[in-house]
Amino acid sequence: MRIFDPHIHMTSRTTDDYEAMHAAGVRALVEPAFWLGQPRTSAASFLDYFDALIGWEPFRAAQFGIRHHCTIALNPKEANDPRCTEVLRHLPRYLAKDGVVAVGEIGYDSMTPAEDHAFAAQLQLAVVHELPALVHSPHRDKAAGVDRTLAVVRESGIAPERVVVDHLNEVTVKQVADSGCWMGFSIYPDTKMDEHRMVAVLREYGTERILVNSAADWGRSDPLKTRRTADAMLAAGFSADDVDQVLWRNPVAFYGQSGRLELDDVEAPGTGATFEGNSVLRGARAEV
Amino acid sequence: MTPDALRTALAGRTTEEGERWLDAACTAVAADPAAVRALFPAAGRRCGRGPLHLAEPYGWTVDDAVRALLLAALPLTGTALHTELTELYRTGDAAERRAVLRALPLLPVGDDALPLVHDALRTNDTRLVAAALGDYATHHLDAAAYRQGVLKCVFTGIPLAALPGLPDRADAELARMMSAFAAERTAAGRPVPADIQPVLARFPEIPVPTATARREA
């Protein structure tokens, strides 16, 4: 089974997680730029973080046989801190990088005017840089937040098929399904969304335009929730091809719209199919 | 490595479209040096990222060569060149930084680019560490930093054959450090990488630890 986790914050995870993910079938992932628990107080703090997302973290992932891509943005929570908003000025040069496959996470946290501004400005950056957008939906007042999110997306002129609205649940999925945007679901160990409820959503809405992620970060979370969802799908009677669509082909199709996904060495059946030096060049350990 | 040698090596390693992109990009950079800022990150997407020489997985890549040619096309010298180069490195992803490091011997920068080499040697990214210890470091890096860099290669598994400065830049102090490293490894019951032998062999007066030495200790 091959798995692509379209949303996971590896910066906060250990090498044990990378090993367990690889053993579970994870071969590729996207790490969205987000907040770190401890609030940042300057734009420079973001730049070091972004540099890690296009430098050190892909190197770390490659050592465990996992391809790492990222999304770059000023997140909605820190968009409210005037000490941080200067980072918007620096985003264009990151959005030109090879490993950056979308603008994100953008969207709403508390639905403030500052968040309105950062969200709209960054959707325009996605249009200009021909990148998809990863949109975080607020955990508080979610249904109203998703409505407002979809209105801003429509107003921006970005094509809905280039947008994923994430962290959806049973209450918010229909609005997004009707909008033409992709539907993202984060599977948590606690109550927000679990793998069995996810299976029920897949039964109702089908397997098209749906992304399933672990959203694992520094909070209580499980980087193997993608695999648990795959297992729950199989147990519920979905086919292996359905699982492959949701957990591999869908994220490849969505982020592939960037033209920057690099999966040649992980998609090939068996490592012998590509020149072995490729993985070394990307940071994998040379065979000693 | 010279620009001509890079051009020759690139033939057949990139597509015709890639070659056309490179020619146009070099022309654009020669006319307006600021154009390099947008072209530099796109080199891998446009021209490829595979190894330039198939037998050298730690050697130059296609995108390294393309980026080095872009830098060689810059009509800049002195402070202006140093500023542009530093900015490209500072704002670059890992592949762009590696290319800047590789290109240094092609550029009229004297010792001015040493801070970039030191920055790369502070990382734990083996691609950057290996690139930092290329021909530029061989000719410009001070002995203490060069020795630490070599030792870092040994610790992180970068083959010393990838370092053009060895064994010529090896000195007695490096041999002593290698010997001490071998003693630690031997004491731990771990293998000692064979590629430190050419360095040790140059300094026969430096004692080389063996399994016997471990028992004596």
Side-chain angles (χ1 to χ4, degrees), chain A residues 9-29:
Chain A
H9 301 281
M10 293 312 298
T11 300
S12 306
R13 311 300 306 193
T14 65
T15 54
D16 282 358
D17 289 334
Y18 270 125
E19 279 180 306
M21 288 163 65
H22 188 271
V26 177
R27 295 292 180 272
L29 58 84

Side-chain angles (χ1 to χ4, degrees), chain A residues 30 60 91 106 109 120 151 155 159 177 180 204 225 251 277 284:
Chain A
V30 167
R60 226 163 67 96
L91 295 182
I106 53 177
D109 177 54
E155 202 173 305
E204 187 172 350
K225 278 296 184 189

Side-chain angles (χ1 to χ4, degrees), chain A residues 14-70:
Chain A
T14 65
T15 54
D16 282 358
D17 289 334
Y18 270 125
E19 279 180 306
M21 288 163 65
H22 188 271
V26 177
R27 295 292 180 272
L29 58 84
V30 167
E31 174 157 11
F34 211 46
W35 57 70
L36 289 176
Q38 175 70 31
R40 299 181 180 92
T41 59
S42 73
S45 180
F46 280 89
L47 302 188
D48 288 337
Y49 172 67
F50 294 160
D51 285 341
L53 294 183
I54 60 171
W56 176 240
E57 202 57 45
F59 176 78
R60 226 163 67 96
Q63 296 189 341
F64 299 92
I66 295 177
R67 283 290 290 145
H68 181 288
H69 296 84
C70 70

Side-chain angles (χ1 to χ4, degrees), chain A residues 96-98 262 275 281 285, chain B residues 45 49 57 91 96 127 156:
Chain A
K97 302 301 184 194
D98 277 346
E262 270 281 309
F275 177 69
L281 295 171
R285 290 278 181 211
Chain B
R45 298 195 282 279
R49 304 183 184 87
T91 63
E96 293 170 77
R127 299 163 300 177
T156 55

